[in-house]
Amino acid sequence: MNDDGPEKWMSLALDLAIRGRGMVEPNPMVGAVLVKGNTVVGVGWHQRFGGLHAEIEALNQAGDKAFGSTLFVSLEPCSHHGKTPPCANAILNSGISKVFVAMRDPNPLVAGKGIGFLQSHGIEVEVGVGKEKAEFINAPFIKYHLHSKPFVISKWAMSLDGKIATKTGESKWISNDKCRERVHQLRGLVDAILVGVGTVDLDDPMLNARPEGPRKQMRVVIDPKARISLSSRIVQSARDFPTIIAVRENVSQELKVRLQSLGCELFELTSNNSAEIVDELLILLGKKGIQNLLVEGGGKTLGSFFDADQVDEIQVYIAPFIIGGSDAISPVGGVGILEMAQRRKIASFAHEMIDDNILLSGRLKHYESK
């Protein structure tokens, strides 16, 4: 195997892993490549939750050629019985001679046990090739298992002068048709979509993916005073789409009962400060197994997530026109920073032209698998 072999084959495994996005959650995205004599003899990726793991897909494809081969896998092989049998045993039984692992699994059920099992049975294991990219694609999985909170994507569309709506609240439409299609694709890949009650008042959104993605998303509305209109489309469709209304615990029992009778689930918040509400809400969503949360606004809600330092990724669509007006609505409200030294730097920055709009995206945090 040539000098650049490990990086080359692991890159292929990582590219395969990404194919599972939106289909495998709450499991991680995993890709696997089996190489023998500098030739690929088997590939696989985790294709759907409950389905075969990447290593098993690759082993099935390789058959007897797996004996004496080298495995490149983007995540530590599991060593426990879950929906499927442990991959570490299958690797051992196949006669694989060496395993390259991009990153350790942060899930406490694995967390080094898979690597330890293979090493204890004489299989050489090398960890860390492709680690940064592996951590990037599985950041939601890592954050969830390290911090018990969902990975937060903040998305907004704005004019060139940084406005998400006119001073009257009108915002339809700032981004173009193709950008809105892209947003619906993103909605179809996440576990939950969140807005503040002000956005419900102004836009009366459905907050669903159209067309539907691989799974049905949970819809979340931050509404401390429980003032959401019972005739809003979100409330009226709560029996068809899982819906959570986050209210303060001291709102009237009558309001709670009315929302629950229409199919809404209530989260009762004890916090008063907006940033503390965000932290409390993320903990509650984490307990429900939510790993990916898309926050769509409005400005007050987005600001509260930034003030709480709980934004992991941004996706910003910029349209080529000016709204103007000192009272027009900006995308990120809240307290903000007081000094430029406190500014949040966007890493992994990217840009893309979508017809006449620009999509700017990037990560604010990097989660390491240890």
Side-chain angles (χ1 to χ4, degrees), residues 21-318:
R21 186 184 183 197
M23 302 293 293
V24 302
E25 291 83 354
N27 284 350
M29 293 176 279
V30 185
V33 177
L34 282 167
V35 179
K36 190 172 186 179
N38 210 31
T39 299
V40 174
V41 296
V43 299
W45 68 94
H46 189 30
Q47 299 184 23
R48 61 179 178 82
F49 178 68
L52 295 178
H53 286 191
E55 301 93 317
I56 306 304
E57 291 275 7
L59 286 169
N60 288 345
Q61 188 178 112
D64 293 340
K65 293 179 181 178
F67 187 85
S69 67
T70 298
L71 171 65
F72 297 85
V73 62
S74 61
L75 183 73
E76 176 182 2
C78 62
S79 55
H80 68 287
H81 281 271
K83 292 275 186 182
T84 59
C87 294
N89 293 72
I91 292 168
L92 176 64
N93 295 334
S94 70
I96 287 172
S97 59
K98 184 173 182 178
V99 178
F100 284 85
V101 175
M103 59 172 268
R104 297 179 186 274
D105 193 331
N107 185 342
L109 293 174
V110 186
K113 298 182 183 72
I115 292 170
F117 174 86
L118 294 174
Q119 291 174 328
S120 69
H121 286 82
I123 296 178
E124 184 181 355
V125 181
E126 185 171 329
V127 182
V129 174
K131 180 175 183 284
E132 187 172 345
K133 184 174 179 180
E135 290 172 339
F136 184 89
I137 67 174
N138 274 319
F141 180 76
I142 298 172
K143 181 182 180 183
Y144 179 78
H145 282 287
L146 293 184
H147 302 288
S148 301
K149 294 178 182 177
F151 184 89
V152 176
I153 305 169
S154 287
K155 163 264 161 186
W156 65 87
M158 68 182 187
S159 60
L160 278 176
D161 57 332
K163 305 297 183 182
I164 61 172
T166 67
K167 66 179 181 180
T168 63
E170 184 181 350
S171 61
K172 294 182 179 179
W173 292 105
I174 290 178
S175 56
N176 63 33
D177 290 346
K178 287 189 176 179
C179 288
R180 294 197 295 277
E181 288 177 9
R182 183 72 68 87
V183 171
H184 280 285
Q185 291 171 6
L186 176 60
R187 285 181 175 183
L189 296 173
V190 299
D191 297 325
I193 305 164
L194 180 147
V195 296
V197 68
T199 296
V200 177
D201 290 342
L202 288 171
D203 298 338
D204 195 21
M206 276 292 290
L207 290 189
N208 62 335
R210 300 186 293 275
E212 287 188 6
R215 60 191 187 280
K216 189 169 286 190
Q217 287 66 48
M218 185 171 290
R219 305 175 305 175
V220 184
V221 179
I222 297 180
D223 183 19
K225 296 181 181 179
R227 63 179 179 83
I228 190 169
S229 171
L230 299 183
S231 62
S232 65
R233 295 201 296 168
I234 283 181
V235 173
Q236 288 297 311
S237 59
R239 296 192 185 282
D240 299 316
F241 299 92
T243 303
I244 292 172
I245 312 295
V247 302
R248 286 207 179 95
E249 60 181 355
N250 60 359
V251 300
S252 76
Q253 189 64 27
E254 180 184 357
L255 286 173
K256 294 177 186 177
V257 170
R258 291 173 72 185
L259 287 168
Q260 290 171 326
S261 69
L262 291 167
C264 298
E265 180 181 355
L266 300 186
F267 276 0
E268 297 189 11
L269 304 169
T270 60
S271 304
N272 291 314
N273 176 276
S274 60
E276 292 175 355
I277 284 175
V278 166
D279 197 60
E280 182 179 358
L281 180 56
L282 290 179
I283 291 171
L284 292 170
L285 290 172
K287 290 179 179 178
K288 291 189 73 70
I290 301 298
Q291 286 189 12
N292 296 272
L293 174 66
L294 176 61
V295 179
E296 293 202 14
K300 180 180 178 181
T301 298
L302 285 165
S304 67
F305 273 82
F306 278 100
D307 287 344
D309 193 25
Q310 290 295 335
V311 176
D312 299 301
E313 179 179 318
I314 62 164
Q315 295 203 11
V316 182
Y317 296 87
I318 303 175

